[in-house]
Structure formats: structure tokens, C-alpha cells
Amino acid sequence: MALSAAAAPVAASPFFSRRSAERPRVLSFRHLHTDEWVDVTYRIGDTYQRSALLRLNQFFRDFRTGDVTTMDPQLFDILYDLKLRLGDPDARFDVISAYRSPATNARLRKASRGVAKNSLHLHGQAIDVRFPDLSTRRLRDAAVSLGRGGVGYYRRSDFVHLDTGAVRSWGV
């Protein structure tokens, strides 16, 4: 079907492309250790929402110590793109771990060989998640297919690690 002469300029106008680019990016989380829930519009178009980022920094605090850091907003972009890749724009992530204070990371390193000395969790650049009602294997595969950051698969513990570091994967 051809556009009428009157409709063509409207369809090509910057208003339509700007409007679709300004679609709000919403994320939903449940923290498994604190049983807190959050739904937040963290970005509209190219603009991160400051109040939403502050709220997410608090939500992703080290649940063992209460320490808070600034989370890397690019991590939220990976999570948002991941839920779209999985075909579930309303999906909620279950959070196992996000920010870790140096004291928490040191304590975890003593208990497990699988904790990195300079973990990206220490810098607000990593998160361990799962989706309710979705296998972590499928979550891992979708994350690897994004080709962004690190993806670790922890089958026995039933979670996927995501980070904003170099593209790499383990446990895959």
C-alpha cells in the first residue's frame, strides 16, 4: 500500500523516530536475600534517570554489610537487552548478588576458590541473576548471544553471572 502525498512527510518526520527512541526502559527485580522488589524506569531514550539509578544503587547494595556503590548503568542496558532477547519485555530478574564490598569479597574468597580477587562485583559492574520459570542454561545462551561483557554459568548454583567487562564466558 502506497503512502498518500500528505502522509509521507509525517511518516518520515523526526517526531516518529525520536518518539520510538525515547521509549522508557523498565527493569524489574526481586532480591532473593532481602526479599525486596523494585520496578524502575532507569532510562528514557539516551538519558539515564538519576533518581532511578540512585534507587538501583541502593537496591543492589552489599546485602551482607549494607555498603552501597555506584552501579555501572551499562549493566542495566545488558539486562534490558537480555530480557528483550528472551522475548519477555515484562520479565523480572531474581538477583542473587550484585555489589560486594571488599570485606565481603575477601570473606567469600576464603570460602570458595570461584571468587575472583578483583571481582567486577567490587566495582558495581557485575550481577548474578536468574529468571523465575526459565532455565539458567537458556538465560546463559541468550546472554552469550548478546556478545557484551562477561557471562558465567553456574549450573549447580543455578544462576548466571553478567558483567560489563571484556567479552568472555566460562562454565558454558
Side-chain angles (χ1 to χ4, degrees):
M1 183 168 115
L3 291 174
S4 71
V10 173
S13 76
F15 170 78
F16 286 100
S17 60
R18 185 173 50 247
R19 184 179 174 122
S20 63
E22 292 179 4
R23 180 173 296 130
R25 289 179 168 228
V26 178
L27 289 169
S28 300
F29 300 98
R30 177 177 70 127
H31 199 295
L32 297 180
H33 294 285
T34 64
D35 199 33
E36 294 172 306
W37 299 67
V38 68
D39 297 307
V40 64
T41 300
Y42 78 96
R43 183 174 146 183
I44 300 173
D46 292 334
T47 306
Y48 291 104
Q49 304 301 297
R50 182 170 160 42
S51 63
L53 295 181
L54 292 172
R55 190 170 170 205
L56 288 169
N57 290 341
Q58 179 64 33
F59 184 81
F60 292 124
R61 70 192 177 279
D62 182 331
F63 69 91
R64 293 170 180 90
T65 66
D67 294 346
V68 176
T69 196
T70 300
M71 298 296 293
D72 184 348
Q74 291 181 22
L75 186 60
F76 305 136
D77 291 333
I78 290 171
L79 292 164
Y80 181 82
D81 292 343
L82 183 56
K83 73 177 188 161
L84 294 183
R85 174 69 52 101
L86 289 165
D88 192 352
D90 298 321
R92 181 196 79 229
F93 289 93
D94 284 346
V95 177
I96 290 92
S97 179
Y99 172 63
R100 286 189 208 142
S101 67
T104 292
N105 204 67
R107 189 169 43 249
L108 292 174
R109 276 182 54 77
K110 286 182 182 178
S112 171
R113 293 183 330 212
V115 177
K117 183 176 184 178
N118 195 25
S119 169
L120 291 177
H121 286 278
L122 290 163
H123 307 287
Q125 293 179 272
I127 190 167
D128 300 332
V129 295
R130 67 173 70 117
F131 269 174
D133 306 322
L134 180 73
S135 76
T136 50
R137 179 182 298 269
R138 186 160 170 233
L139 180 61
R140 174 214 54 200
D141 291 347
V144 168
S145 76
L146 288 177
R148 292 167 41 207
V151 178
Y153 177 52
Y154 295 87
R155 183 183 54 79
R156 280 190 287 210
S157 300
D158 194 34
F159 71 86
V160 174
H161 166 98
L162 304 167
D163 68 52
T164 60
V167 175
R168 67 211 186 288
S169 60
W170 59 95
V172 178

